[in-house]
Amino acid sequence: MTDFTKEYKPIAEKFALSGEVTDICLYGEGHINVTMLVTTDKKRYIMQKINTRVFPDTDALMRNICYVTEFLSSQGVETLNVIKTKDGAAYLKGKDCYRVYDFIENTVTYQTVTDKEVFKNSGKAFGEFQNYLAAFNASLLSETIARFHDTPKRFGDFKAALAADSMGRAKECGKEIDFILSRADTYSAVAEGLKDGSLPLRVTHNDTKLNNILMDADTHKARAVIDLDTIMPGSMLYDFGDSIRFGASTAAEDEKDLDKVHFSVEYFKAYAEGYVGAVKNSITEKEAELLPYGAYLMTMECGMRFLADYLSGDTYFATKYEGHNLVRCRTQLKLAGEMEQKFGETKKIIADILAK
Ligand code: ADP
Ligand code: GN1
Ligand code: MG
């Protein structure tokens, strides 16, 4: 038994698991929680140390997840299954907080798009997920992270991190800072649309990157949308945009060689066919018109969040080396720059899909 297993076994044993714990190891590529694979002699589980700096109100977080997963399973939709503690609680509360889910077997997660069809399938699944949530009572949900995708607010946070420059790192990233500052007038269209009612407020996932969906290992169709920490009222443009940000790239989110990083119009089209096909009956004219912009906005927003975290000393996103957040920021800005150049093409793609 590894030291890691020995360290976490007493925690795992606080949950109502089936069988004896035989192994625990780190798992997956998430940036927020510490995710572990727990194996017993009967089955496998996912155990997560919840990032309480990002989610200080763990009661509200787990209440949201229980409501949403119970609602989805009552509709016959495969979703995360929360394993309670032996005391019957939804999670283990203490200095550190932990939760356990059934491991969803025979599935894979992709860190980059290698196949258009798989990306299209994920678009269809996120679109369908949006449709299921349309019937969910939004008033049950707490806002787990306030103003999560309020891009003007994120821009304000970025400017504050820049003004503080607490690590003295701003001098290394002049080009990136200028790129973000020079686009200040492009960040408010969705926030304003939600405020004036011209864009509908929906219940959205808000973190729709490709590794937050489990695809069936045999059919490559989507099995379950996971990482439900940020389900909150929001705009459909956030969900569409964030998937494109991550998946319609020819390289990983943290690729260092920017020559390899391009916005793929082909991947955009594949995802849009899946997603827009699924939400055709509910998408408004203005939402459809803004989909290409939503992708640009989510990419810029993520770029400024990575850079703000780099400037502040990497306290938010998990990093594997110094400069990781700056590398991530650079890929986002490269993609957003190319998206700007391709608005003509991407708008036409959306119009063609809707006309079909
Ligand atoms: P984070 O919030 O840190 O991104 P996630 O909840 O997305 O954490 O989990 C990280 C990774 O763990 C996912 O990308 C996925 O690969 C894997 N994972 C999470 N939950 C499950 C599950 N129930 N079954 C199988 N794999 C899972
Ligand atoms: C985080 O949790 P994860 O790794 O799926 C982040 C997203 C970012 C993403 C960038 C709660 O997602 O908002 O877009 O990293 N989640 C949170 O990869 O901040
Ligand atoms: Mg995740």
Side-chain angles (χ1 to χ4, degrees):
M1 191 176 283
T2 64
D3 288 348
F4 193 83
T5 307
K6 278 186 203 142
E7 184 182 347
Y8 286 98
K9 194 169 181 240
I11 295 164
E13 285 175 344
K14 295 249 163 41
F15 289 85
L17 306 183
S18 143
E20 275 296 307
V21 174
T22 54
D23 188 63
I24 305 180
C25 59
L26 288 169
Y27 191 79
E29 298 284 333
H31 296 344
I32 301 296
N33 301 296
V34 179
T35 301
M36 293 165 250
L37 174 64
V38 176
T39 308
T40 75
D41 53 8
K42 294 250 168 59
K43 54 184 286 201
R44 302 201 290 176
Y45 298 91
I46 285 287
M47 178 164 85
Q48 291 183 317
K49 186 197 275 187
I50 301 172
N51 185 329
T52 49
R53 205 127 76 103
V54 171
F55 301 108
D57 189 349
T58 41
D59 283 343
L61 174 78
M62 291 311 294
R63 214 169 34 239
N64 277 8
I65 289 178
C66 290
Y67 279 140
V68 170
T69 53
E70 277 159 25
F71 171 79
L72 290 171
S73 17
S74 75
Q75 309 286 301
V77 180
E78 187 168 9
T79 186
L80 292 171
N81 182 38
V82 177
I83 304 295
K84 293 206 168 134
T85 67
K86 286 178 176 161
D87 298 335
Y91 73 105
L92 187 67
K93 203 171 175 173
K95 190 172 76 59
D96 292 318
C97 294
Y98 294 86
R99 65 182 168 206
V100 170
Y101 298 122
D102 273 326
F103 186 87
I104 303 181
E105 296 287 352
N106 201 36
T107 58
V108 281
T109 31
Y110 292 88
Q111 306 306 329
T112 50
V113 173
T114 46
D115 179 332
K116 269 192 311 191
E117 206 50 33
V118 171
F119 197 38
K120 182 177 175 177
N121 289 343
S122 80
K124 180 166 179 279
F126 277 122
E128 284 168 354
F129 191 73
Q130 169 73 84
N131 294 339
Y132 291 126
L133 292 178
F136 180 75
N137 178 1
S139 71
L140 293 174
L141 290 177
S142 305
E143 204 177 18
T144 53
I145 301 178
R147 302 173 72 185
F148 189 56
H149 282 308
D150 181 337
T151 313
K153 191 249 175 202
R154 293 290 191 182
F155 183 51
D157 293 347
F158 164 74
K159 285 191 290 187
L162 176 59
D165 192 19
S166 59
M167 306 294 289
R169 289 173 168 177
K171 57 183 181 302
E172 298 160 34
C173 24
K175 245 173 60 187
E176 290 76 19
I177 292 166
D178 288 347
F179 191 96
I180 294 168
L181 292 177
S182 66
R183 284 161 176 78
D185 61 346
T186 67
Y187 301 144
S188 61
V190 176
E192 275 167 16
L194 290 173
K195 211 183 289 168
D196 67 23
S198 58
L199 286 172
L201 194 64
R202 303 174 182 276
V203 177
T204 47
H205 180 282
N206 296 305
D207 191 1
T208 52
K209 60 183 184 182
L210 191 59
N211 60 18
N212 286 332
I213 190 165
L214 302 177
M215 314 295 286
D216 190 277
D218 301 320
T219 65
H220 304 287
K221 298 224 166 87
R223 283 269 300 279
V225 170
I226 59 166
D227 202 343
L228 307 177
D229 294 337
T230 52
I231 291 198
M232 286 181 281
S235 167
M236 175 192 284
L237 296 159
Y238 302 156
D239 283 1
F240 178 83
D242 198 51
S243 288
I244 297 296
R245 170 194 82 71
F246 187 85
S249 170
T250 54
E253 190 185 60
D254 59 355
E255 172 58 56
K256 288 182 184 157
D257 180 358
L258 287 181
D259 288 340
K260 293 188 180 149
V261 181
H262 295 287
F263 167 55
S264 163
V265 173
E266 217 187 326
Y267 287 171
F268 175 95
K269 180 166 181 267
Y271 187 88
E273 281 170 354
Y275 187 88
V276 178
V279 300
K280 234 176 174 170
N281 292 333
S282 58
I283 192 167
T284 68
E285 208 176 304
K286 180 161 176 173
E287 283 174 322
E289 195 185 300
L290 286 178
L291 287 174
Y293 165 78
Y296 158 84
L297 186 69
M298 288 300 96
T299 310
M300 284 305 301
E301 182 186 281
C302 204
M304 64 181 85
R305 288 176 64 198
F306 285 142
L307 192 53
D309 198 31
Y310 179 66
L311 293 172
S312 313
D314 308 306
T315 59
Y316 186 92
F317 296 103
T319 51
K320 291 193 174 136
Y321 54 87
E322 198 179 306
H324 202 168
N325 273 318
L326 178 57
V327 166
R328 289 172 176 150
C329 161
R330 287 183 173 140
T331 62
Q332 301 308 292
L333 304 190
K334 170 97 190 260
L335 292 169
E338 292 194 359
M339 287 177 189
E340 287 174 333
Q341 305 296 315
K342 305 260 167 87
F343 276 148
E345 278 175 69
T346 48
K347 281 185 179 167
K348 182 161 184 314
I349 287 169
I350 301 294
D352 288 349
I353 295 171
L354 284 167
K356 260 190 215 152

